[in-house]
Amino acid sequence: MADILASLRSLMASQSPPLDALLVPSEDYHQSEYVSARDKRREFVSGFTGSAGLALITKNEARLWTDGRYFLQATQQLSDQWKLMRIGEDPPLDVWMSDNLQKEAAIGIDPWCVSVDTAQRWERAFAKKNQKLVQTSTNLVDEIWKNRPPAEINPAVDHPLEFAGRSVAEKLKALREKLSSEKARGIIITALDEVAWLYNIRGSDVSYSPVVHAFAIVTLNSAFLYVDKRKVSSKVSSSLQANGIEVREYGAVSSDAAMLASNQLDQATGVNFGQNGVCQNDTCDNDLIWVDPASCCYALFSKLDANKVLLQQSPLALAKALKNPVELDGLKNAHIRDGAAVVQYLVWLDKQMQEIYGASGYFLEGEVTSKKIPETMKLTEVSVSDKLEGFRASKEHFRGLSFPTISSVGPNAAIIHYSPQAKTCAELDPNSIYLFDSGAQYLDGTTDITRTVHFGKPSAHEKACYTSVLKGHIALGNARFPNGTNGYSLDILARIPLWRYGLDYRHGTGHGIGSYLNVHEGPHQISFRPQARNVPLQVSMTVTDEPGYYEDGNFGIRLENVLVIKEADTEFNFGDKGYLSFEHITWAPYQIKLIDLSILTPEEIQWLNRYHSKCREILAPYLDKNEMEWLKKATEPMKG
């Protein structure tokens, strides 16, 4: 790590002007949350493997900013050459740099890896001391990264209408209508899931996310896909062409953005303006180029005339979040098969914990009969999560996991986004809580579920904490709220049962989920973070419900289901707004042994019994006799 920092500092000094600081973000050219191996530059320089974080390297310091999900993990992974900056507790990066770097300092960035929003925010902060953001012509990390993984050539594939539910022609028509209504003549689309959704293509360029490294430009009359052409088969190429989409090389997006700005892109392709009846070239007042400031990189924005840019959220973000009936059916079916895999896993794990470790098991609370276990029989966080993946892989339409499985025992479960590694992971412990947060990609939907279990004798404190999390989970899932309500307003519902005891958690409560796309999908969310105010919750959106509680060094608890927003059947309709509610589409039991029934209300017990009854009914066709017996026992009605 010392060599990496020394090499970077040497390169920084050789730049013109010499750089006083270098920023290394987590994101790729598309501002993705999850990136391919060759784009993990921040991980390479810092050693921190979390999905969110920003590294700053100055002449004599190295600091890493990350959020509450990763405080514990970053503390463990950063060497003593790095200082951890806790977002929400320490000064934000732009404030810290403005205060601590000298006047007129030059701060280097790769403009392809920074969004317009972020770059402009930094520029405003730096202006106070005449500090300047310097766009480097190459990525300095790439220059010193000797064994950087090569670019993979993975094929793009068509996502059939039977799963997509809407044709490319329909999506393009709706997008062009939106452009026209906003006086825009074109849009640059940079978010990988938006490109995949719009053109009904999928790929495998990024682990866990079925996307293709590609940009898109859509004008009122034409459409382009910028991708390594080696990834595009003749079959995919002809279906794109049938929809009027021209395939160009990935790197051509830079020059084409400049041509778009000077209104030459359509002419260069020989497209006849006005062919869609949207607008005639000589009379058109649509003069803006639309870019999403949160996902468009600064490099492409810099090619445009800033006075003629419409900087607002991509119209595809909301369109993609509002699932069509085919996508909703697919998501529900995928979650049923996924729930069956989770139950099969729990049945298997329960048996293993009893046989290998002498645990009392999923149902009974007894002391563990200690056994001497041969090394070959020991279960680890990784070996059991591989087994879970195996159960999922046997299900129809399975295409891989939707994120690295969080399989965590005892103190590791307190690390919110813990990622077990084969060489260092913990062995399962019948005396400790086990938390697994996992999901899969199926052709008809993406899944994400968390359950927390104990195979021995949980303490009264663990039960009280589990039950408080469960109460928050139920309270949010049962909410009814008027149209126009955002996720910021609902976040508190999941926390109130925890707050009663002075407990809380440092992550948001819910995120959207894709339809065979990204497991984390905006633009809406349920969170205490201000951006959760931006978009109201609407019918046919998906959102997770995942409160938790984490006790550093001891245990962690999280419970997560995916919900679909639907219209609520309320007795009254104040203000004629219309009311909304949630429908659970995740099916797996909550562990009754971990519940302190004295803390639950009769209504909560009634809800749990109803949910468990549905689990039995819905999962029955997917389970064998032994698995069904286990599920019946796991979902026996509780008496309050």
Side-chain angles (χ1 to χ4, degrees), residues 217-249:
I217 292 179
V218 176
T219 72
L220 295 172
N221 307 285
S222 52
F224 305 89
L225 175 68
Y226 300 88
V227 62
D228 185 325
K229 285 186 176 179
R230 291 172 295 176
K231 297 176 182 178
V232 184
S233 66
S234 53
K235 179 176 179 287
V236 172
S237 183
S238 46
S239 63
L240 290 166
Q241 281 170 358
N243 285 297
I245 299 157
E246 183 177 333
V247 179
R248 296 199 165 190
E249 283 295 346

PDB file of all heavy atoms in Angstrom, residues 217-249:
ATOM      1  N   ILE A 217     -27.379   7.547 -26.629  1.00  0.00           N
ATOM      2  CA  ILE A 217     -27.861   8.899 -26.940  1.00  0.00           C
ATOM      3  C   ILE A 217     -29.148   8.715 -27.733  1.00  0.00           C
ATOM      4  O   ILE A 217     -29.199   7.929 -28.680  1.00  0.00           O
ATOM      5  CB  ILE A 217     -26.832   9.721 -27.755  1.00  0.00           C
ATOM      6  CG1 ILE A 217     -25.598  10.045 -26.896  1.00  0.00           C
ATOM      7  CG2 ILE A 217     -27.468  11.018 -28.268  1.00  0.00           C
ATOM      8  CD1 ILE A 217     -24.513  10.844 -27.618  1.00  0.00           C
ATOM      9  N   VAL A 218     -30.192   9.408 -27.308  1.00  0.00           N
ATOM     10  CA  VAL A 218     -31.460   9.375 -28.028  1.00  0.00           C
ATOM     11  C   VAL A 218     -31.834  10.802 -28.382  1.00  0.00           C
ATOM     12  O   VAL A 218     -31.827  11.688 -27.512  1.00  0.00           O
ATOM     13  CB  VAL A 218     -32.579   8.718 -27.178  1.00  0.00           C
ATOM     14  CG1 VAL A 218     -33.921   8.776 -27.906  1.00  0.00           C
ATOM     15  CG2 VAL A 218     -32.223   7.261 -26.851  1.00  0.00           C
ATOM     16  N   THR A 219     -32.116  11.047 -29.650  1.00  0.00           N
ATOM     17  CA  THR A 219     -32.613  12.363 -30.078  1.00  0.00           C
ATOM     18  C   THR A 219     -34.077  12.178 -30.472  1.00  0.00           C
ATOM     19  O   THR A 219     -34.614  11.060 -30.433  1.00  0.00           O
ATOM     20  CB  THR A 219     -31.809  12.910 -31.270  1.00  0.00           C
ATOM     21  OG1 THR A 219     -32.150  12.144 -32.436  1.00  0.00           O
ATOM     22  CG2 THR A 219     -30.303  12.834 -31.018  1.00  0.00           C
ATOM     23  N   LEU A 220     -34.700  13.268 -30.912  1.00  0.00           N
ATOM     24  CA  LEU A 220     -36.100  13.166 -31.320  1.00  0.00           C
ATOM     25  C   LEU A 220     -36.252  12.270 -32.549  1.00  0.00           C
ATOM     26  O   LEU A 220     -37.346  11.803 -32.848  1.00  0.00           O
ATOM     27  CB  LEU A 220     -36.664  14.562 -31.606  1.00  0.00           C
ATOM     28  CG  LEU A 220     -36.743  15.480 -30.374  1.00  0.00           C
ATOM     29  CD1 LEU A 220     -37.134  16.892 -30.771  1.00  0.00           C
ATOM     30  CD2 LEU A 220     -37.717  14.933 -29.339  1.00  0.00           C
ATOM     31  N   ASN A 221     -35.147  12.045 -33.258  1.00  0.00           N
ATOM     32  CA  ASN A 221     -35.244  11.308 -34.515  1.00  0.00           C
ATOM     33  C   ASN A 221     -34.345  10.076 -34.607  1.00  0.00           C
ATOM     34  O   ASN A 221     -34.487   9.294 -35.530  1.00  0.00           O
ATOM     35  CB  ASN A 221     -34.870  12.229 -35.685  1.00  0.00           C
ATOM     36  CG  ASN A 221     -35.685  13.501 -35.651  1.00  0.00           C
ATOM     37  OD1 ASN A 221     -36.846  13.482 -35.988  1.00  0.00           O
ATOM     38  ND2 ASN A 221     -35.078  14.586 -35.196  1.00  0.00           N
ATOM     39  N   SER A 222     -33.392   9.951 -33.700  1.00  0.00           N
ATOM     40  CA  SER A 222     -32.454   8.837 -33.832  1.00  0.00           C
ATOM     41  C   SER A 222     -32.072   8.289 -32.464  1.00  0.00           C
ATOM     42  O   SER A 222     -32.363   8.900 -31.432  1.00  0.00           O
ATOM     43  CB  SER A 222     -31.205   9.284 -34.606  1.00  0.00           C
ATOM     44  OG  SER A 222     -30.662  10.451 -34.024  1.00  0.00           O
ATOM     45  N   ALA A 223     -31.404   7.125 -32.489  1.00  0.00           N
ATOM     46  CA  ALA A 223     -30.996   6.486 -31.233  1.00  0.00           C
ATOM     47  C   ALA A 223     -29.688   5.752 -31.464  1.00  0.00           C
ATOM     48  O   ALA A 223     -29.471   5.159 -32.527  1.00  0.00           O
ATOM     49  CB  ALA A 223     -32.077   5.508 -30.766  1.00  0.00           C
ATOM     50  N   PHE A 224     -28.807   5.801 -30.465  1.00  0.00           N
ATOM     51  CA  PHE A 224     -27.474   5.207 -30.589  1.00  0.00           C
ATOM     52  C   PHE A 224     -27.160   4.390 -29.348  1.00  0.00           C
ATOM     53  O   PHE A 224     -27.566   4.746 -28.237  1.00  0.00           O
ATOM     54  CB  PHE A 224     -26.403   6.300 -30.740  1.00  0.00           C
ATOM     55  CG  PHE A 224     -26.659   7.247 -31.886  1.00  0.00           C
ATOM     56  CD1 PHE A 224     -27.427   8.393 -31.689  1.00  0.00           C
ATOM     57  CD2 PHE A 224     -26.156   6.993 -33.147  1.00  0.00           C
ATOM     58  CE1 PHE A 224     -27.684   9.266 -32.743  1.00  0.00           C
ATOM     59  CE2 PHE A 224     -26.395   7.858 -34.202  1.00  0.00           C
ATOM     60  CZ  PHE A 224     -27.162   9.004 -33.996  1.00  0.00           C
ATOM     61  N   LEU A 225     -26.403   3.319 -29.564  1.00  0.00           N
ATOM     62  CA  LEU A 225     -25.866   2.523 -28.463  1.00  0.00           C
ATOM     63  C   LEU A 225     -24.349   2.509 -28.624  1.00  0.00           C
ATOM     64  O   LEU A 225     -23.838   2.148 -29.689  1.00  0.00           O
ATOM     65  CB  LEU A 225     -26.399   1.089 -28.516  1.00  0.00           C
ATOM     66  CG  LEU A 225     -25.813   0.117 -27.489  1.00  0.00           C
ATOM     67  CD1 LEU A 225     -26.251   0.470 -26.072  1.00  0.00           C
ATOM     68  CD2 LEU A 225     -26.211  -1.329 -27.811  1.00  0.00           C
ATOM     69  N   TYR A 226     -23.638   2.942 -27.573  1.00  0.00           N
ATOM     70  CA  TYR A 226     -22.167   2.985 -27.606  1.00  0.00           C
ATOM     71  C   TYR A 226     -21.645   1.828 -26.782  1.00  0.00           C
ATOM     72  O   TYR A 226     -21.795   1.810 -25.554  1.00  0.00           O
ATOM     73  CB  TYR A 226     -21.668   4.333 -27.064  1.00  0.00           C
ATOM     74  CG  TYR A 226     -22.205   5.481 -27.894  1.00  0.00           C
ATOM     75  CD1 TYR A 226     -23.432   6.065 -27.600  1.00  0.00           C
ATOM     76  CD2 TYR A 226     -21.487   5.947 -28.994  1.00  0.00           C
ATOM     77  CE1 TYR A 226     -23.939   7.097 -28.377  1.00  0.00           C
ATOM     78  CE2 TYR A 226     -21.986   6.982 -29.784  1.00  0.00           C
ATOM     79  CZ  TYR A 226     -23.210   7.540 -29.469  1.00  0.00           C
ATOM     80  OH  TYR A 226     -23.714   8.559 -30.260  1.00  0.00           O
ATOM     81  N   VAL A 227     -21.038   0.853 -27.441  1.00  0.00           N
ATOM     82  CA  VAL A 227     -20.654  -0.391 -26.785  1.00  0.00           C
ATOM     83  C   VAL A 227     -19.505  -1.005 -27.580  1.00  0.00           C
ATOM     84  O   VAL A 227     -19.366  -0.745 -28.778  1.00  0.00           O
ATOM     85  CB  VAL A 227     -21.887  -1.350 -26.731  1.00  0.00           C
ATOM     86  CG1 VAL A 227     -22.363  -1.725 -28.134  1.00  0.00           C
ATOM     87  CG2 VAL A 227     -21.635  -2.588 -25.906  1.00  0.00           C
ATOM     88  N   ASP A 228     -18.702  -1.806 -26.916  1.00  0.00           N
ATOM     89  CA  ASP A 228     -17.688  -2.564 -27.635  1.00  0.00           C
ATOM     90  C   ASP A 228     -18.425  -3.502 -28.596  1.00  0.00           C
ATOM     91  O   ASP A 228     -19.155  -4.400 -28.175  1.00  0.00           O
ATOM     92  CB  ASP A 228     -16.849  -3.378 -26.633  1.00  0.00           C
ATOM     93  CG  ASP A 228     -15.700  -4.114 -27.273  1.00  0.00           C
ATOM     94  OD1 ASP A 228     -15.855  -4.570 -28.425  1.00  0.00           O
ATOM     95  OD2 ASP A 228     -14.646  -4.259 -26.622  1.00  0.00           O
ATOM     96  N   LYS A 229     -18.248  -3.259 -29.912  1.00  0.00           N
ATOM     97  CA  LYS A 229     -19.049  -3.977 -30.914  1.00  0.00           C
ATOM     98  C   LYS A 229     -18.832  -5.492 -30.876  1.00  0.00           C
ATOM     99  O   LYS A 229     -19.666  -6.256 -31.360  1.00  0.00           O
ATOM    100  CB  LYS A 229     -18.757  -3.439 -32.317  1.00  0.00           C
ATOM    101  CG  LYS A 229     -19.396  -2.075 -32.585  1.00  0.00           C
ATOM    102  CD  LYS A 229     -19.200  -1.678 -34.038  1.00  0.00           C
ATOM    103  CE  LYS A 229     -19.926  -0.368 -34.329  1.00  0.00           C
ATOM    104  NZ  LYS A 229     -19.719   0.055 -35.733  1.00  0.00           N
ATOM    105  N   ARG A 230     -17.703  -5.920 -30.287  1.00  0.00           N
ATOM    106  CA  ARG A 230     -17.461  -7.359 -30.191  1.00  0.00           C
ATOM    107  C   ARG A 230     -18.482  -8.049 -29.299  1.00  0.00           C
ATOM    108  O   ARG A 230     -18.637  -9.269 -29.321  1.00  0.00           O
ATOM    109  CB  ARG A 230     -16.041  -7.616 -29.665  1.00  0.00           C
ATOM    110  CG  ARG A 230     -14.940  -7.236 -30.648  1.00  0.00           C
ATOM    111  CD  ARG A 230     -13.570  -7.329 -30.003  1.00  0.00           C
ATOM    112  NE  ARG A 230     -13.379  -6.365 -28.922  1.00  0.00           N
ATOM    113  CZ  ARG A 230     -12.290  -6.314 -28.158  1.00  0.00           C
ATOM    114  NH1 ARG A 230     -11.295  -7.195 -28.348  1.00  0.00           N
ATOM    115  NH2 ARG A 230     -12.164  -5.410 -27.208  1.00  0.00           N
ATOM    116  N   LYS A 231     -19.198  -7.267 -28.469  1.00  0.00           N
ATOM    117  CA  LYS A 231     -20.190  -7.843 -27.565  1.00  0.00           C
ATOM    118  C   LYS A 231     -21.547  -8.043 -28.245  1.00  0.00           C
ATOM    119  O   LYS A 231     -22.449  -8.649 -27.660  1.00  0.00           O
ATOM    120  CB  LYS A 231     -20.386  -6.924 -26.350  1.00  0.00           C
ATOM    121  CG  LYS A 231     -19.137  -6.758 -25.504  1.00  0.00           C
ATOM    122  CD  LYS A 231     -19.386  -5.761 -24.375  1.00  0.00           C
ATOM    123  CE  LYS A 231     -18.109  -5.563 -23.572  1.00  0.00           C
ATOM    124  NZ  LYS A 231     -18.289  -4.580 -22.493  1.00  0.00           N
ATOM    125  N   VAL A 232     -21.696  -7.469 -29.439  1.00  0.00           N
ATOM    126  CA  VAL A 232     -23.023  -7.446 -30.074  1.00  0.00           C
ATOM    127  C   VAL A 232     -23.097  -8.481 -31.195  1.00  0.00           C
ATOM    128  O   VAL A 232     -22.457  -8.332 -32.232  1.00  0.00           O
ATOM    129  CB  VAL A 232     -23.344  -6.036 -30.612  1.00  0.00           C
ATOM    130  CG1 VAL A 232     -24.754  -5.992 -31.191  1.00  0.00           C
ATOM    131  CG2 VAL A 232     -23.205  -4.994 -29.491  1.00  0.00           C
ATOM    132  N   SER A 233     -23.876  -9.522 -30.972  1.00  0.00           N
ATOM    133  CA  SER A 233     -24.046 -10.571 -31.992  1.00  0.00           C
ATOM    134  C   SER A 233     -24.904 -10.031 -33.130  1.00  0.00           C
ATOM    135  O   SER A 233     -25.577  -9.000 -32.992  1.00  0.00           O
ATOM    136  CB  SER A 233     -24.734 -11.786 -31.376  1.00  0.00           C
ATOM    137  OG  SER A 233     -26.061 -11.434 -31.004  1.00  0.00           O
ATOM    138  N   SER A 234     -24.919 -10.760 -34.243  1.00  0.00           N
ATOM    139  CA  SER A 234     -25.739 -10.309 -35.367  1.00  0.00           C
ATOM    140  C   SER A 234     -27.221 -10.317 -34.980  1.00  0.00           C
ATOM    141  O   SER A 234     -27.995  -9.461 -35.413  1.00  0.00           O
ATOM    142  CB  SER A 234     -25.498 -11.195 -36.596  1.00  0.00           C
ATOM    143  OG  SER A 234     -25.688 -12.547 -36.249  1.00  0.00           O
ATOM    144  N   LYS A 235     -27.616 -11.262 -34.106  1.00  0.00           N
ATOM    145  CA  LYS A 235     -29.022 -11.338 -33.665  1.00  0.00           C
ATOM    146  C   LYS A 235     -29.408 -10.080 -32.878  1.00  0.00           C
ATOM    147  O   LYS A 235     -30.440  -9.450 -33.135  1.00  0.00           O
ATOM    148  CB  LYS A 235     -29.210 -12.590 -32.798  1.00  0.00           C
ATOM    149  CG  LYS A 235     -30.613 -12.795 -32.255  1.00  0.00           C
ATOM    150  CD  LYS A 235     -30.709 -14.115 -31.499  1.00  0.00           C
ATOM    151  CE  LYS A 235     -32.097 -14.339 -30.909  1.00  0.00           C
ATOM    152  NZ  LYS A 235     -32.372 -13.492 -29.751  1.00  0.00           N
ATOM    153  N   VAL A 236     -28.557  -9.713 -31.911  1.00  0.00           N
ATOM    154  CA  VAL A 236     -28.835  -8.522 -31.103  1.00  0.00           C
ATOM    155  C   VAL A 236     -28.760  -7.273 -31.987  1.00  0.00           C
ATOM    156  O   VAL A 236     -29.592  -6.367 -31.892  1.00  0.00           O
ATOM    157  CB  VAL A 236     -27.853  -8.423 -29.910  1.00  0.00           C
ATOM    158  CG1 VAL A 236     -28.001  -7.091 -29.184  1.00  0.00           C
ATOM    159  CG2 VAL A 236     -28.084  -9.577 -28.940  1.00  0.00           C
ATOM    160  N   SER A 237     -27.786  -7.255 -32.874  1.00  0.00           N
ATOM    161  CA  SER A 237     -27.612  -6.118 -33.768  1.00  0.00           C
ATOM    162  C   SER A 237     -28.860  -5.890 -34.626  1.00  0.00           C
ATOM    163  O   SER A 237     -29.337  -4.768 -34.777  1.00  0.00           O
ATOM    164  CB  SER A 237     -26.393  -6.357 -34.666  1.00  0.00           C
ATOM    165  OG  SER A 237     -26.171  -5.248 -35.479  1.00  0.00           O
ATOM    166  N   SER A 238     -29.415  -6.992 -35.155  1.00  0.00           N
ATOM    167  CA  SER A 238     -30.596  -6.806 -36.013  1.00  0.00           C
ATOM    168  C   SER A 238     -31.820  -6.378 -35.218  1.00  0.00           C
ATOM    169  O   SER A 238     -32.626  -5.584 -35.705  1.00  0.00           O
ATOM    170  CB  SER A 238     -30.885  -8.046 -36.861  1.00  0.00           C
ATOM    171  OG  SER A 238     -30.813  -9.198 -36.092  1.00  0.00           O
ATOM    172  N   SER A 239     -31.954  -6.850 -33.966  1.00  0.00           N
ATOM    173  CA  SER A 239     -33.119  -6.380 -33.186  1.00  0.00           C
ATOM    174  C   SER A 239     -32.954  -4.911 -32.794  1.00  0.00           C
ATOM    175  O   SER A 239     -33.932  -4.165 -32.731  1.00  0.00           O
ATOM    176  CB  SER A 239     -33.382  -7.270 -31.973  1.00  0.00           C
ATOM    177  OG  SER A 239     -32.309  -7.246 -31.083  1.00  0.00           O
ATOM    178  N   LEU A 240     -31.712  -4.470 -32.560  1.00  0.00           N
ATOM    179  CA  LEU A 240     -31.481  -3.039 -32.292  1.00  0.00           C
ATOM    180  C   LEU A 240     -31.794  -2.212 -33.543  1.00  0.00           C
ATOM    181  O   LEU A 240     -32.486  -1.197 -33.478  1.00  0.00           O
ATOM    182  CB  LEU A 240     -30.034  -2.812 -31.845  1.00  0.00           C
ATOM    183  CG  LEU A 240     -29.660  -3.341 -30.449  1.00  0.00           C
ATOM    184  CD1 LEU A 240     -28.140  -3.360 -30.259  1.00  0.00           C
ATOM    185  CD2 LEU A 240     -30.308  -2.497 -29.346  1.00  0.00           C
ATOM    186  N   GLN A 241     -31.293  -2.676 -34.681  1.00  0.00           N
ATOM    187  CA  GLN A 241     -31.527  -1.942 -35.941  1.00  0.00           C
ATOM    188  C   GLN A 241     -33.010  -1.864 -36.273  1.00  0.00           C
ATOM    189  O   GLN A 241     -33.492  -0.853 -36.775  1.00  0.00           O
ATOM    190  CB  GLN A 241     -30.763  -2.615 -37.092  1.00  0.00           C
ATOM    191  CG  GLN A 241     -29.283  -2.262 -37.084  1.00  0.00           C
ATOM    192  CD  GLN A 241     -28.474  -3.113 -38.063  1.00  0.00           C
ATOM    193  OE1 GLN A 241     -29.011  -3.999 -38.718  1.00  0.00           O
ATOM    194  NE2 GLN A 241     -27.186  -2.853 -38.143  1.00  0.00           N
ATOM    195  N   ALA A 242     -33.740  -2.937 -35.963  1.00  0.00           N
ATOM    196  CA  ALA A 242     -35.180  -2.950 -36.231  1.00  0.00           C
ATOM    197  C   ALA A 242     -35.896  -1.847 -35.464  1.00  0.00           C
ATOM    198  O   ALA A 242     -36.978  -1.390 -35.851  1.00  0.00           O
ATOM    199  CB  ALA A 242     -35.760  -4.316 -35.867  1.00  0.00           C
ATOM    200  N   ASN A 243     -35.285  -1.417 -34.350  1.00  0.00           N
ATOM    201  CA  ASN A 243     -35.858  -0.332 -33.545  1.00  0.00           C
ATOM    202  C   ASN A 243     -35.197   1.010 -33.834  1.00  0.00           C
ATOM    203  O   ASN A 243     -35.349   1.970 -33.070  1.00  0.00           O
ATOM    204  CB  ASN A 243     -35.743  -0.670 -32.055  1.00  0.00           C
ATOM    205  CG  ASN A 243     -36.750  -1.728 -31.646  1.00  0.00           C
ATOM    206  OD1 ASN A 243     -37.952  -1.515 -31.725  1.00  0.00           O
ATOM    207  ND2 ASN A 243     -36.262  -2.893 -31.240  1.00  0.00           N
ATOM    208  N   GLY A 244     -34.438   1.056 -34.942  1.00  0.00           N
ATOM    209  CA  GLY A 244     -33.824   2.330 -35.336  1.00  0.00           C
ATOM    210  C   GLY A 244     -32.646   2.736 -34.465  1.00  0.00           C
ATOM    211  O   GLY A 244     -32.329   3.924 -34.343  1.00  0.00           O
ATOM    212  N   ILE A 245     -31.985   1.743 -33.848  1.00  0.00           N
ATOM    213  CA  ILE A 245     -30.849   2.048 -32.955  1.00  0.00           C
ATOM    214  C   ILE A 245     -29.555   1.720 -33.688  1.00  0.00           C
ATOM    215  O   ILE A 245     -29.362   0.600 -34.141  1.00  0.00           O
ATOM    216  CB  ILE A 245     -30.946   1.217 -31.649  1.00  0.00           C
ATOM    217  CG1 ILE A 245     -32.230   1.545 -30.895  1.00  0.00           C
ATOM    218  CG2 ILE A 245     -29.724   1.485 -30.756  1.00  0.00           C
ATOM    219  CD1 ILE A 245     -32.685   0.449 -29.947  1.00  0.00           C
ATOM    220  N   GLU A 246     -28.690   2.714 -33.798  1.00  0.00           N
ATOM    221  CA  GLU A 246     -27.400   2.502 -34.451  1.00  0.00           C
ATOM    222  C   GLU A 246     -26.352   2.132 -33.404  1.00  0.00           C
ATOM    223  O   GLU A 246     -26.223   2.805 -32.378  1.00  0.00           O
ATOM    224  CB  GLU A 246     -26.974   3.768 -35.192  1.00  0.00           C
ATOM    225  CG  GLU A 246     -25.675   3.573 -35.946  1.00  0.00           C
ATOM    226  CD  GLU A 246     -25.254   4.802 -36.748  1.00  0.00           C
ATOM    227  OE1 GLU A 246     -26.134   5.588 -37.141  1.00  0.00           O
ATOM    228  OE2 GLU A 246     -24.045   4.963 -36.961  1.00  0.00           O
ATOM    229  N   VAL A 247     -25.614   1.051 -33.660  1.00  0.00           N
ATOM    230  CA  VAL A 247     -24.571   0.604 -32.728  1.00  0.00           C
ATOM    231  C   VAL A 247     -23.249   1.270 -33.112  1.00  0.00           C
ATOM    232  O   VAL A 247     -22.817   1.205 -34.263  1.00  0.00           O
ATOM    233  CB  VAL A 247     -24.417  -0.927 -32.760  1.00  0.00           C
ATOM    234  CG1 VAL A 247     -23.321  -1.376 -31.795  1.00  0.00           C
ATOM    235  CG2 VAL A 247     -25.748  -1.605 -32.396  1.00  0.00           C
ATOM    236  N   ARG A 248     -22.626   1.940 -32.129  1.00  0.00           N
ATOM    237  CA  ARG A 248     -21.327   2.584 -32.360  1.00  0.00           C
ATOM    238  C   ARG A 248     -20.337   2.120 -31.294  1.00  0.00           C
ATOM    239  O   ARG A 248     -20.748   1.639 -30.239  1.00  0.00           O
ATOM    240  CB  ARG A 248     -21.473   4.102 -32.282  1.00  0.00           C
ATOM    241  CG  ARG A 248     -22.372   4.653 -33.384  1.00  0.00           C
ATOM    242  CD  ARG A 248     -22.126   6.135 -33.552  1.00  0.00           C
ATOM    243  NE  ARG A 248     -22.688   6.606 -34.800  1.00  0.00           N
ATOM    244  CZ  ARG A 248     -22.457   7.803 -35.301  1.00  0.00           C
ATOM    245  NH1 ARG A 248     -21.653   8.641 -34.673  1.00  0.00           N
ATOM    246  NH2 ARG A 248     -23.010   8.185 -36.432  1.00  0.00           N
ATOM    247  N   GLU A 249     -19.063   2.315 -31.555  1.00  0.00           N
ATOM    248  CA  GLU A 249     -18.043   1.912 -30.590  1.00  0.00           C
ATOM    249  C   GLU A 249     -18.177   2.717 -29.292  1.00  0.00           C
ATOM    250  O   GLU A 249     -18.514   3.899 -29.319  1.00  0.00           O
ATOM    251  CB  GLU A 249     -16.629   2.078 -31.167  1.00  0.00           C
ATOM    252  CG  GLU A 249     -16.232   0.976 -32.147  1.00  0.00           C
ATOM    253  CD  GLU A 249     -16.116  -0.410 -31.524  1.00  0.00           C
ATOM    254  OE1 GLU A 249     -16.078  -0.537 -30.285  1.00  0.00           O
ATOM    255  OE2 GLU A 249     -16.063  -1.398 -32.294  1.00  0.00           O
TER     256      GLU A 249
END
